[in-house]
Amino acid sequence: MIDGYVTVKHIANKWELKPRTVQIMCAEGRIPGAVKFGRDWAIPQDAKKPTDGRVISGNYIDYRKSKEKRGDSSAWH
């Protein structure tokens, strides 16, 4: 590996993620400095873990269920 860079597997273990998740983050450009090296990715050793954009507050609202509770006739059945 190139000096100052590590593999996807190393970062996946460090960040407690699956290697495929790290590969996707690299492909989406969410890890600054990650470079495609053949078919693999080279990631800087000091790369910071990107924030998770998924809803984690527990306030996710399924719009279909909320319509059914209101009695909206346009809800899918």
Side-chain angles (χ1 to χ4, degrees):
M1 184 55 51
I2 305 168
D3 286 337
Y5 288 85
V6 293
T7 63
V8 167
K9 186 175 180 179
H10 178 82
I11 290 293
N13 288 334
K14 180 179 174 182
W15 292 347
E16 299 177 353
L17 296 172
K18 293 183 180 181
R20 181 63 184 150
T21 304
V22 176
Q23 289 174 340
I24 292 169
M25 288 178 176
C26 290
E28 292 175 346
R30 294 178 54 202
I31 302 175
V35 179
K36 186 94 170 177
F37 189 68
R39 67 176 193 175
D40 297 321
W41 287 95
I43 304 169
Q45 287 177 343
D46 59 349
K48 304 288 184 210
K49 183 178 179 180
T51 58
D52 189 352
R54 297 177 294 179
V55 175
I56 59 173
S57 65
N59 295 329
Y60 175 77
I61 300 171
D62 186 351
Y63 73 95
R64 289 184 207 115
K65 289 183 181 179
S66 62
K67 285 182 181 180
E68 290 172 3
K69 287 181 182 177
R70 288 189 307 231
D72 188 355
S73 61
S74 65
W76 297 355
H77 295 301

